[in-house]
Amino acid sequence: KCSRSKLCGGMMLGVTLLLTSIVITVTVYPYLPRSCDTSTGLLPQDIVPLHYDIWLHPNLTSLTFKGKVEIQIKVLKRTKCIVLNSLDQNITDIKLKQKDGTLLMTEDFSLVPEHEFVLIPLRAKLEEEEYTLVIHYEAEVRHALKGFYRSYYTTSQGEQRVAAVTQFEATYARHAFPCFDEPQYKATFTISIVRDTEHTALSNMPKNSTISYKETGLLQDTFEKSVKMSTYLVAFMVMDFTSRSTTTSSNVLIRIWSRSETEHQTEYALECA
């Protein structure tokens, strides 16, 4: 049985037909929703994103992270299926809300790794209005140098340390959060990152606020709302770097981050910037 927390579209039945000397292999997705068209391998153009609220809690010890993304979407053409990009994520919950907060009924979602899709079929067609899609998920801070991945460095004492950084160009944002991960789908972004006190979080925009979780001692940094942009331009990182900064004659703040042991080597770069 296919449940909401399992790979549905990814459960394939391999059927091989042997005709004289010709071997034909057919891949069948037994639970692929009929209302979801994935024949082109591209996202349908009936829904566009307007804004993403992204919440991430990376653990640099276990090298895993929890995430939640709330996507404000606009339906351009009535549809019974929402199609997003998602890859290598354990999606635990999906909810769809109207502008007034009313929950709408969805069917069990399906993952299609072949096209890097998550399909969300609906019990009734969405009207040409705005909605909010809320997705909870878990994932690994990746080994490969794409998506949200781990980067190591070694101190002068021989201690290996880790940072979690991003590389989303051209279509790797889908490794970090479910999204409309094609360049034409531009939206604004607000990013919040939970971190340990010894770490620093950075993103595209200046930090807007920091709150403390007293029960755990963790901190949450929330960054200002971004300009409208494609998903491949989103960036964030969590590390234990330190910084030096200066302000230009035009009152522009310039800041350079580095390992604490190499901070003294950043002076020239700061002058050139």
Side-chain angles (χ1 to χ4, degrees), residues 70-71 73 95-104 126 130-134:
E70 296 190 17
I71 312 175
I73 60 174
K95 287 184 173 64
L96 181 65
K97 298 186 293 185
Q98 292 179 315
K99 291 187 72 172
D100 63 3
T102 303
L103 287 176
L104 299 178
L126 294 180
E130 294 181 13
Y131 301 86
T132 300
L133 183 63
V134 184

Side-chain angles (χ1 to χ4, degrees), residues 66-224:
K66 296 180 180 180
K68 181 181 77 169
V69 59
E70 296 190 17
I71 312 175
Q72 296 177 22
I73 60 174
K74 183 176 182 180
V75 177
L76 304 180
K77 180 180 178 182
R78 295 179 71 227
T79 181
K80 286 191 68 175
C81 184
I82 300 174
V83 183
L84 297 171
N85 293 116
S86 176
L87 189 63
D88 298 332
Q89 294 153 4
N90 175 29
I91 295 176
T92 56
D93 186 61
I94 295 179
K95 287 184 173 64
L96 181 65
K97 298 186 293 185
Q98 292 179 315
K99 291 187 72 172
D100 63 3
T102 303
L103 287 176
L104 299 178
M105 298 301 294
T106 63
E107 303 289 351
D108 289 351
F109 65 83
S110 302
L111 299 181
V112 187
E114 178 184 356
H115 295 310
E116 303 177 355
F117 285 157
V118 54
L119 312 180
I120 309 168
L122 307 160
R123 297 189 180 180
K125 280 191 174 183
L126 294 180
E127 299 298 327
E128 295 175 2
E129 299 175 0
E130 294 181 13
Y131 301 86
T132 300
L133 183 63
V134 184
I135 303 176
H136 293 258
Y137 63 99
E138 300 171 345
E140 179 185 19
V141 180
R142 296 170 53 82
H143 288 278
L145 305 183
K146 57 186 178 181
F148 192 28
Y149 70 94
R150 60 192 75 175
S151 178
Y152 294 97
Y153 74 92
T154 304
T155 68
S156 59
Q157 288 75 37
E159 178 188 359
Q160 188 179 68
R161 296 185 181 178
V162 63
V165 300
T166 57
Q167 167 56 43
F168 290 161
E169 192 174 3
T171 57
Y172 299 141
R174 64 192 67 181
H175 290 275
F177 56 96
C179 57
F180 294 82
D181 197 21
E182 294 176 5
Q184 69 270 27
Y185 293 104
K186 295 177 172 62
T188 54
F189 296 80
T190 300
I191 295 174
S192 298
I193 298 177
V194 178
R195 60 176 174 86
D196 292 324
T197 54
E198 66 268 24
H199 292 139
T200 297
L202 298 176
S203 189
N204 300 79
M205 303 300 292
K207 185 168 60 176
N208 184 50
S209 65
T210 299
I211 62 173
S212 175
Y213 294 99
K214 294 182 179 179
E215 63 276 11
T216 61
L218 298 173
L219 301 175
Q220 177 181 300
D221 295 327
T222 298
F223 299 88
E224 295 178 7

Side-chain angles (χ1 to χ4, degrees), residues 43 144 247:
L43 295 174
T247 303

